[in-house]
Structures are given as C-alpha cells and as structure tokens.
Amino acid sequence: MSTTYNEAATAAPSNSTARVATASIVGTAIEFYDFYIYATAAALVIGPVFFPQSSGTAQMLASFLTFGIAFIARPLGSALFGHFGDRIGRKSTLVASLLLMGVCTTLIGLLPGYDSIGAWAPILLCVLRFGQGLGLGGEWGGAALLATENAPKGKRAWFGMFPQLGPSIGFLAANGLFLILAMSLNDEQFRSWGWRIPFILSAALVMIGLYARLKLHETPVFAKAVAKEAPVKVPLVELFSQHWLPVLLGAASMVVCYALFYITTAFSLSYGVSTLGYSRETFLGLLCFAVLFMGLATPIAALASDRYGRKPVLIVGAILAILSGFTMEPLLTHGSTWAVALFLALELFLMGVTFAPMGALLPELFPTRVRYTGASAAYNLGGIVGASAAPFFATKLVAMGGLSYVGGYVSAAALLSLIAVLCLKETRDNDLNRVA
C-alpha cells in the first residue's frame, strides 16, 4: 500500500491556476445558488405550497424551519464526505458531494405540493432538504482545500478566495433568475409553477460543475501526505480527540458570516415584501445590487489577509459587523429605497470581509490527514448557530420587539465570532504539508 501511495504521489500532475479557480468557484457558486433559491422560495412560496396552515405566519415559520433542516444535515455531511476526502482524496469526494446536492435540489423543483399529495409533500420536502444539506456538508471544505492545497507560497488567502467568490456569483444568479420570473409572470403563475424553474435549472449547473471537477488532478499536498503514510482510518475520531478546540473556534468564527448573509437576504426579503410593502421584483433588484458589494469585498479582504494576516482582517470585520446591527432598524424603517439599499450593501460588504479569509484560515487550522473533515466540520457547525434558525428567530424577534431585536441578533453573532477569532493563533505561516 505504501508503494502504491508513493507511485501515485510521484505521478500526480499539477493543476493549472485557471482549472483550480474554475472548479473551486463553480462548486460554491452552485452551493449558494441551490441554497439561496430555497431561501428565496421559503420567503415567498414554500409555506403556502407545502403546508396546510391557514395562518400566513404559521406557514412562514414552518417554511423557515425546513430551511434550517439542511443546516442540521450539513455537519453530518461534513463527517461523511470529510471521511472519504481525507482517505481517498479531494477530487472524488467533491464530485460525489456536488452530485448529491444537485439531485436533491432538482427533485425539490419537481415535488408536488400539499394540495396534490397531502402530508407527503412536507415530509418529502424535509427529506430532500436533508439530502441537500448532506451534500452541501462536503462541498465547501473540499473546494477550499482544492484551492489552498494548490496555492503558491504567500498566496493561500488569494487562492482561498476562489471558493469565497462562488457565493456572490450563485447569489446573483439565483436572485437574478427570481427577479426575471417576478417580472415575467403574474403572482398566480409564479406561485403555481414559476418558482420551480430555478430548482430544475440547477441540474444544468451541476453538469457544468461535474465537467470542471472531473478534469482535476489530486492536490499536491494530499499526494505528498499519502506518500508519507497511509490515511487515518477514522478522521472524525482523530479530529475530535486531538483537534476539537480548533473545530469549535473555527465554527464560532464562521457564525458572523452566516448571520450577516441570511438575515440580510432571506429575512430581509420576507420582511421587505410582507411588511415594508416593496414588490417582490423591487426588493430582489435591491439585493442584486447589494451583492455586488460582497463580491467587491471578497478579493480586497483576501489580499489584506495575505499581507497582514487572517486575524487582523477578521477582527476589523467582526467589530464593524457588531456596529452594523444598530443600523438595521433606522435604515430599513427610514421609508426610502436608498436607505434599504444602503443597509443591504453594508451588510453584504461585511459578509465579504469576514468570509473571504475563511477560505484559507479554516484549512490552515488542521493537519492534512484530517483537514477535509476539520475544515468542513468547522464551516458547517458554524452554520447551525449562525444560519439554520436565523430567519426563523428573526421572524420571532421582530414580532417581539421590532427590527432592533433582529439587529441585536446580528451584533451578538458578530461578538461571538470576534471572541473566537481573538482566541485563535495567526495561521498565515502554518505549513499545509504537516500531517499531524
């Protein structure tokens, strides 16, 4: 077995920068496309289509709960795909996770509603959401490792930016498609069948992603690691027995990213349409504008974290995110469209600032033998706290005390991440070739 590993490592060809960038970006773009089309549908139509309650609020809460199911599944997916990613390699695992994610997303678009199959509709919806989350659990970690383990010295955050750019692209594609549908269809058509189109189109995007990833070679860091010794038998056991603290701190560091993104998008869209009185297409247009600032912040923060370190960039981002929570109520209730646009742009810009360094930081926290499992676990455990129930709790909080309570939720999430980042050591100079 040792001889086989050495031969594989010696023969392993390298990946071009363009190939690494494409395969990293396309996967996370599809990930966020798939997740955000569900978040948008949850805010607009999932409740009436799949749940029988007569109360609009009850339907909305049930809809947002199904949104959270996938985040519960994601840590399980990180354990499953991390196991194979650390044992058999990054490439094969990335292909499998993308395929599972895409199949479940497409089937959601084909699933009959409550009026057609009764209680089976919400049950099957929850099963597919769970499967979607399972696939997503292995997606980001693999994409981040693909980028950073192919990066030249001093440019890990820049290469780690590739998967971090994917969310902006996926979000823009999802939001843009919903905007086109909202402008092209009347309300009855959209609720009847129009909302399904983005889910079904996911199948085409997955085929593109599979094509890009099947052409990849294994990362040189992983090839060197398996040349030195056989992969660990159960990565999850070693991870939590020897590296549990980086997992917890990495997960807590991610909370602010998730809270900023899903409060700004899923919750704000629902609130803007149902309470502030904006049309669906107007608010989707505002979000399309705002996500450009997230895309702008991503390379800036990546360059800064290569130059100054991961911690300084994340500390500044978290402090600004804490302060941004206090702007939510005054800007969203100002009564002007420009104030709403300013708030959305500010929050998504800060999402880019806090998210970009994570593409390098989380992989740098772990040795090669458990890196896929560790980076994926930290990323997805952070999602349980920061995102799984964020729209649900935000809906509850706004009913209890108004938007200031929701802004407080954002500030609290940012404070938690700030404390975690302060507890971490700087990782910029960590050697990715370490195996223990």
Side-chain angles (χ1 to χ4, degrees):
M1 182 177 289
S2 179
T3 302
T4 302
Y5 286 142
N6 275 290
E7 290 174 353
T10 303
S14 60
N15 296 301
S16 68
T17 299
R19 183 171 291 177
V20 170
T22 302
S24 299
I25 291 173
V26 73
T28 52
I30 294 171
E31 172 192 350
F32 268 73
Y33 171 87
D34 285 1
F35 238 58
Y36 193 70
I37 58 174
Y38 191 90
T40 305
L44 300 176
V45 298
I46 291 292
V49 172
F50 289 98
F51 295 96
Q53 294 102 325
S54 56
S55 165
T57 301
Q59 288 179 337
M60 182 64 69
L61 290 173
S63 176
F64 281 143
L65 281 175
T66 63
F67 174 77
I69 287 173
F71 283 97
I72 304 301
R74 285 174 75 148
L76 298 177
S78 68
L80 173 66
F81 288 103
H83 176 85
F84 292 105
D86 283 325
R87 284 191 55 77
I88 66 174
R90 315 324 193 191
K91 173 186 171 178
S92 301
T93 308
L94 275 169
V95 169
S97 66
L98 182 62
L99 192 59
L100 175 60
M101 179 175 66
V103 168
C104 289
T105 302
T106 303
L107 289 177
I108 288 175
L110 300 173
L111 184 63
Y114 186 87
D115 290 343
S116 299
I117 58 174
W120 281 107
I123 293 172
L124 291 175
L125 177 65
C126 290
V127 170
L128 291 174
R129 276 296 286 169
F130 188 87
Q132 192 186 40
L134 208 63
L136 285 164
E139 174 56 40
W140 182 88
L145 266 59
L146 170 66
T148 56
E149 290 186 348
N150 278 286
K153 185 178 180 180
K155 292 188 175 181
R156 278 206 300 259
W158 180 254
F159 270 59
M161 174 199 68
F162 297 149
Q164 310 306 75
L165 276 176
S168 299
I169 297 170
F171 177 86
L172 195 59
N175 232 27
L177 184 52
F178 269 108
L179 178 59
I180 292 171
L181 291 172
M183 295 172 66
S184 305
L185 306 176
N186 60 40
D187 193 62
E188 182 181 351
Q189 291 171 325
F190 180 82
R191 290 179 178 276
S192 176
W193 53 268
W195 67 271
R196 298 178 180 274
I197 294 175
F199 288 87
I200 297 171
L201 286 179
S202 176
L205 297 176
V206 168
M207 296 304 295
I208 296 171
L210 288 174
Y211 175 79
R213 288 184 171 178
L214 287 170
K215 287 185 168 291
L216 285 172
H217 305 297
E218 191 53 80
T219 71
V221 171
F222 182 80
K224 288 179 183 177
V226 296
K228 292 179 180 178
E229 59 182 353
V232 60
K233 289 185 177 180
V234 186
L236 189 67
V237 173
E238 180 168 318
L239 177 72
F240 282 100
S241 63
Q242 300 182 26
H243 308 283
W244 59 270
L245 184 57
V247 172
L248 293 181
L249 292 177
S253 300
M254 277 296 306
V255 168
V256 62
C257 306
Y258 283 112
L260 283 169
F261 187 80
Y262 286 105
I263 291 295
T264 306
T265 56
F267 168 75
S268 294
L269 173 61
S270 173
Y271 188 82
V273 173
S274 64
T275 305
L276 298 180
Y278 285 92
S279 66
R280 192 165 51 230
E281 53 268 31
T282 298
F283 211 93
L284 288 171
L286 291 173
L287 285 171
C288 285
F289 166 76
V291 79
L292 298 176
F293 289 85
M294 178 176 156
L296 174 65
T298 302
I300 294 173
L303 285 170
S305 63
D306 266 337
R307 182 169 182 177
Y308 302 109
R310 320 312 183 211
K311 284 186 67 172
V313 176
L314 291 171
I315 288 169
V316 171
I319 291 173
L320 292 176
I322 291 171
L323 298 176
S324 76
F326 296 96
T327 70
M328 186 171 196
E329 183 176 37
L331 288 178
L332 287 186
T333 60
H334 184 272
S336 62
T337 302
W338 71 262
V340 174
L342 176 61
F343 172 76
L344 299 177
L346 171 64
E347 297 301 89
L348 290 181
F349 183 86
L350 292 175
M351 160 64 177
V353 171
T354 54
F355 190 55
M358 292 296 176
L361 182 139
L362 293 186
E364 289 168 347
L365 289 174
F366 306 98
T368 304
R369 57 194 283 119
V370 295
R371 183 170 295 133
Y372 201 129
T373 306
S376 298
Y379 181 82
N380 291 300
L381 287 171
I384 292 180
V385 179
S388 62
F392 175 83
F393 282 130
T395 302
K396 286 283 192 182
L397 288 170
V398 77
M400 291 170 54
L403 284 174
S404 62
Y405 278 39
V406 183
Y409 182 94
V410 173
S411 296
L415 178 61
L416 174 62
S417 291
L418 175 61
I419 294 170
V421 170
L422 290 172
C423 292
L424 285 170
K425 295 180 180 179
E426 178 57 58
T427 62
R428 179 177 56 171
D429 297 322
N430 286 4
D431 182 12
L432 283 191
N433 286 301
R434 71 190 193 282
V435 295

